């Protein structure tokens, strides 16, 4: 079940990228951690009585409906590109709110992802992944389950989901470290069997 703190971590994640929106969620969680008293952050009183699936449905169904309406007005051929551009901009600004440790090489990039970003409750509860490679030159994840993907696909909104949640990952990666490049050929949001995020250090 979700705590109120967990629920708050989802709310800012409306129009940023997958990595970007989760980092915003982590920022919100850290903020709540610092301000919440034990009486409000633990125990039955903190329960929102919602599963993550219910919370995502609550958070995104209205958003998806609105984006579909906007797409019909702006044009289905133009709207995905506009939404991708907005999501990319939001994702590029997300690391300003959640700062990685000093240093922008692969070692620090890996440390940030594995020690700061991926342990966040929103990731542990909504994604399933395997680390395929962790080396001095590359970090690769294969995501086999994603609640963002299942939520958007259930509403027949994969294109909107990709523009909202996935596209900005490239900009978010560059914002963390200009020397790191994301290479990805498959996403669950687009109907593939996994998301293959591979981060490499460019020479």
């Amino acid at each position: 079940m979700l705590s109120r703190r967990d629920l708050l971590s989802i709310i800012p994640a409306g129009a940023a990228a997958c990595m970007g929106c989760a980092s915003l969620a982590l920022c919100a969680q850290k903020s709540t951690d610092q301000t919440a008293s034990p009486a409000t952050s633990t125990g039955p009183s903190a329960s929102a009585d919602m599963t993550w699936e219910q919370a995502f449905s609550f958070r995104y169904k209205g958003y998806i409906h609105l984006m579909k309406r906007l797409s019909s007005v702006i044009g289905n051929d133009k709207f995905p590109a506009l939404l991708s551009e907005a999501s990319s901009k939001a994702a590029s600004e997300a690391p300003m709110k959640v700062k990685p440790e000093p240093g922008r090489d692969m070692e620090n990039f890996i440390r940030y992802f594995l020690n700061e970003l991926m342990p966040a409750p929103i990731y542990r509860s909504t994604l399933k992944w395997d680390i395929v490679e962790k080396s001095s030159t590359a970090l690769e994840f294969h995501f086999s389950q994603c609640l963002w993907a299942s939520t958007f696909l259930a509403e027949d909104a994969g294109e909107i989901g990709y523009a909202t949640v996935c596209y900005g990952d490239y900009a978010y990666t560059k914002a963390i470290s200009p020397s790191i490049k994301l290479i990805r050929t498959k996403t669950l949001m687009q109907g593939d069997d996994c998301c293959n995020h591979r981060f490499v250090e460019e020479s």
Side-chain angles (χ1 to χ4, degrees), residues 48 53 65 77 91 103 106 123 202:
E53 289 79 8
H65 178 71
D77 54 335
M106 178 59 74
Y123 270 163
E202 296 183 299

Side-chain angles (χ1 to χ4, degrees), residues 30-50:
K30 285 184 175 181
S31 175
T32 322
D33 285 343
Q34 294 170 357
T35 58
S37 67
T40 59
S41 61
T42 62
S45 63
S47 174
D49 295 325
M50 296 177 73

Side-chain angles (χ1 to χ4, degrees), residues 3-10 12 24-38 40-42 46:
S3 69
R4 289 193 180 94
R5 180 169 50 190
D6 291 332
L7 184 58
L8 282 172
S9 76
I10 300 173
L24 290 173
L26 179 58
C27 179
Q29 177 197 345
K30 285 184 175 181
S31 175
T32 322
D33 285 343
Q34 294 170 357
T35 58
S37 67
T40 59
S41 61
T42 62

